[in-house]
Amino acid sequence: MKQLILIGTLALGACGGGGVIPPPRAGYVPVPSQRPAAPSAPGAATPANLAAIQGATAPRLIARFGKPQLDTSEGTARKLQFAGPICVLDTYLYPRGRGEPVVTHVDARQRDGRPIDEASCVAALSGARSR
């Protein structure tokens, strides 16, 4: 009987392939700051490919990365999730004033959930799109 339960559990576990990759923490929606974030180290600059998506609109992100794997809204906030063979990039868009929502925060992780820096993920997704 225990073997039957184990086999059933393993079989059901194999059914979970594909679909949306869950965010790192359930219910996590970053709140944009009122002032720009300071660089992490003195003299450190934001990498060009990451700076290029900060302040980007949804159409600009879609033009760069293709169709998002997830597109969800809550109030005035919008989350677009892009995934490639190496990583998953979550972009959070908030309106500035009365304008169109723009990227104010990004999170990145490897497909297995391990951390990866955002700039490397942006580069990987940009490279995957150009192939």
Side-chain angles (χ1 to χ4, degrees):
M1 184 65 170
K2 286 182 183 181
Q3 289 177 339
L4 183 59
I5 292 172
L6 179 61
I7 291 171
T9 302
L10 291 174
L12 286 175
C15 294
V20 174
I21 298 169
R25 296 182 302 255
Y28 174 72
V29 176
V31 177
S33 64
Q34 297 299 334
R35 54 188 159 78
S40 56
T46 302
N49 62 351
L50 187 55
I53 67 166
Q54 289 291 342
T57 60
R60 196 164 125 210
L61 290 173
I62 293 168
R64 182 172 186 146
F65 301 122
K67 183 179 178 198
Q69 180 172 331
L70 176 69
D71 183 346
T72 186
S73 297
E74 184 175 326
T76 59
R78 184 174 180 189
K79 175 184 173 182
L80 297 177
Q81 182 181 83
F82 300 94
I86 295 174
C87 63
V88 177
L89 182 72
D90 295 321
T91 59
Y92 298 92
L93 297 88
Y94 295 91
R96 293 249 168 102
R98 296 187 184 269
E100 187 174 0
V102 296
V103 174
T104 59
H105 184 80
V106 296
D107 282 326
R109 63 193 171 283
Q110 294 180 47
R111 293 200 54 101
D112 64 4
R114 290 182 296 151
I116 186 172
D117 69 277
E118 291 89 359
S120 296
C121 186
V122 168
L125 290 172
S126 296
R129 174 84 172 145
S130 64
R131 289 184 200 140

